Amino acid sequence: MSEQKKLNVVPVVMMFLLFAMIAFVTNLCNPMGVIVKSQFHLSNFEAQLGNLANFIAYLVMGIPSGLLLKKIGYKNTALLAIALGFIGVFLEYVSGWDAVQSFWVYLLGAFIAGFCMCMLNTVVNPMLNTLGGGGNRGNQLIQFGGVCNSLAATTVTIFGGALIGTVTKDTAIKDVTPALFTALAIFAVVFLVLLLVKIPEPATNTSKEAATTGAFKYTHFNLGILAIFLYMGVEVGFPTYVLQYLSTPADAATPGLGVSAAIAGTIAGVYWLFMLVGRFIGGLIGGKVSSRAQITVVASLVLLCTLIGMFGPEGATINIQGAAIPVCILAFVVAGLFTSVMWGGIFNMAVEGLGKYTEFASGMFMTMVFGGALLVPFQGYLADVFQSFRMSYILVLICAAYILFYALVGSRVKKTSDSEAN
């Protein structure tokens, strides 16, 4: 047994590293959204089309990713994903060249990068859940993987904001060249390392039913994939529009505070830092506290943070690096402490008792991540309609309320279902 545990260390570390890559590339969309909004003269909605392209790739690639796990294995799926990620980020870089200057090339790059993120997510979540033996221990490993994810998200958000500085009419993609080159370098190095490292392949079921409709027999799974769809609006909505609110000029159609992107990026980056802390705590207690209990508590606290951020007085401010920031807005940042464990907890509850349908279920989960493609730009649309970034969080409020319902009611598994899946 001890030898098996030692053998599992390498694949666990590799999955943690892939978790970090997912966040680094995905969260490039936030500083990039600020840049393309300036460079290509876009609305709040249009500026988030990169997020839409990135996340809608999950809709296209979610189920095929689950099938790829069966066809070519976990390791080869990850290698293919990394290659696609390199191409996608490179196209984002090319879109800012003087000879190109194309928002459409940027969107194409974001779309291809989304393929990468979807495929990597399909690999790492069931792999970590399997390596942990499912249950509380499986959730614990996913949460620790989430710590790496949050660390990378924090880094790229602060890094991107620092590179942009103050948003002007001259702000352009070339300003974040170091961040894009860092992503390309990470892809190249991890590809080579993963190519050389031996990764055990979890046993998969190849029956026709397992690859198609079996998982849909379970109500808790169906409600769970809807929870993941809505969760994407919660996780990404918070930092995206904190960044937009802080960096948008006060005289814009949707007024913001007009602070420098460096300050805005640092504050938004703290959201991801809180997610790191939350996931670390979730990992520590994950072996003892059930996913259902965790999600019930954190969903309630997310609702509270959202209400404070939306309706708290703007007059009460705190000085951050010379900028007067409304204290209530920081509630949106603190929410990261609670959104942190939602992904792993929802996944863990939704796949409980699925047995041979787990690979297909993982693919469906990735498909539902396209919620970020719809919900994040839709929140931008609400900001345009209400002419208020704060009021746009009504969408986050609704999504968090459903997640609380799922934890309390929708996640419960019937005993008959448990025996059918194994």
Side-chain angles (χ1 to χ4, degrees):
M1 180 66 72
S2 61
E3 182 180 359
Q4 182 63 38
K5 287 184 178 178
K6 289 180 181 177
L7 289 174
N8 284 341
V9 170
V10 173
V12 166
V13 170
M14 287 305 302
M15 293 306 107
F16 284 174
L17 185 56
L18 293 179
F19 238 136
M21 289 181 61
I22 291 168
F24 192 94
V25 176
T26 299
N27 286 280
L28 270 175
C29 285
N30 287 333
M32 292 294 284
V34 173
I35 292 171
V36 298
K37 180 180 176 181
S38 172
Q39 183 169 356
F40 300 114
H41 311 294
L42 307 175
S43 68
N44 289 308
F45 172 78
E46 291 167 334
Q48 295 307 315
L49 290 180
N51 260 321
L52 187 150
N54 191 276
F55 284 116
I56 208 166
Y58 284 79
L59 175 63
V60 177
M61 199 63 194
I63 294 176
S65 293
L67 299 178
L68 274 174
L69 294 184
K70 297 176 179 293
K71 185 73 173 178
I72 64 176
Y74 281 65
K75 178 176 177 177
N76 288 333
T77 300
L79 288 171
L80 178 58
I82 293 169
L84 287 173
F86 188 96
I87 294 170
V89 173
F90 183 73
L91 284 175
E92 291 184 31
Y93 169 63
V94 168
S95 70
W97 288 1
D98 291 339
V100 179
Q101 287 285 325
S102 173
F103 181 56
W104 293 106
V105 172
Y106 165 72
L107 291 181
L108 176 62
F111 184 65
I112 295 175
F115 276 3
C116 166
M117 301 306 102
C118 175
M119 294 166 69
L120 289 182
N121 261 311
T122 308
V123 170
V124 298
N125 286 283
M127 176 70 87
L128 285 175
N129 200 48
T130 298
L131 291 171
N136 288 354
R137 177 62 175 167
N139 179 44
Q140 187 175 41
L141 281 183
I142 293 175
Q143 297 303 342
F144 277 132
V147 171
C148 302
N149 185 278
S150 297
L151 180 60
T154 303
T155 300
V156 72
T157 304
I158 295 175
F159 189 26
L163 291 172
I164 296 169
T166 301
V167 178
T168 70
K169 62 182 180 62
D170 298 320
T171 298
I173 291 172
K174 63 183 179 182
D175 294 333
V176 290
T177 295
L180 295 173
F181 276 22
T182 298
L184 292 173
I186 291 173
F187 275 126
V189 171
V190 173
F191 183 91
L192 292 175
V193 172
L194 185 60
L195 188 64
L196 299 174
V197 169
K198 185 176 181 181
I199 300 292
E201 296 286 336
T204 58
N205 185 285
T206 57
S207 71
K208 182 177 180 181
E209 185 183 25
T212 53
T213 61
F216 293 120
K217 294 179 179 179
Y218 303 91
T219 301
H220 76 286
F221 169 69
N222 295 328
L223 295 176
I225 58 178
L226 177 57
I228 283 293
F229 176 90
L230 297 176
Y231 165 71
M232 295 310 301
V234 176
E235 180 191 298
V236 185
F238 274 125
T240 297
Y241 291 100
V242 165
L243 185 62
Q244 291 287 345
Y245 170 71
L246 295 177
S247 60
T248 299
D251 59 354
T254 302
L257 291 185
V259 305
S260 74
I263 296 175
T266 299
I267 294 173
V270 172
Y271 169 87
W272 300 108
L273 184 61
F274 272 122
M275 285 196 75
L276 185 155
V277 174
R279 282 169 169 169
F280 184 75
I281 295 172
L284 291 178
I285 68 174
K288 299 179 181 179
V289 181
S290 71
S291 298
R292 183 170 291 108
Q294 287 187 45
I295 302 305
T296 298
V297 171
V298 298
S300 300
L301 291 171
V302 165
L303 287 170
L304 177 61
C305 286
T306 307
L307 289 170
I308 292 173
M310 289 177 67
F311 300 109
E314 279 191 311
T317 63
I318 183 173
N319 188 289
I320 299 179
Q321 298 181 21
I325 307 298
V327 175
C328 60
I329 296 302
L330 299 183
F332 292 147
V333 177
V334 174
L337 189 63
F338 313 121
T339 61
S340 57
V341 298
M342 284 183 168
W343 171 274
I346 294 170
F347 182 89
N348 184 259
M349 290 187 290
V351 301
E352 183 180 351
L354 293 189
K356 62 188 178 182
Y357 307 127
T358 301
E359 287 79 23
F360 174 79
S362 181
M364 275 304 302
F365 260 80
M366 295 312 105
T367 299
M368 290 299 102
V369 172
F370 92 98
L374 300 181
L375 298 174
V376 177
F378 184 64
Q379 188 175 346
Y381 171 75
L382 291 178
D384 290 332
V385 170
F386 294 138
Q387 294 187 334
S388 168
F389 288 107
R390 295 175 71 196
M391 290 303 103
S392 73
Y393 281 87
I394 184 68
L395 181 65
V396 173
L397 198 68
I398 294 170
C399 294
Y402 176 83
I403 293 171
L404 178 60
F405 158 78
Y406 180 67
L408 291 172
V409 180
S411 60
R412 301 193 177 277
V413 186
K414 295 179 181 179
K415 291 183 179 180
T416 54
S417 296
D418 293 336
S419 59
E420 289 173 3
N422 298 312

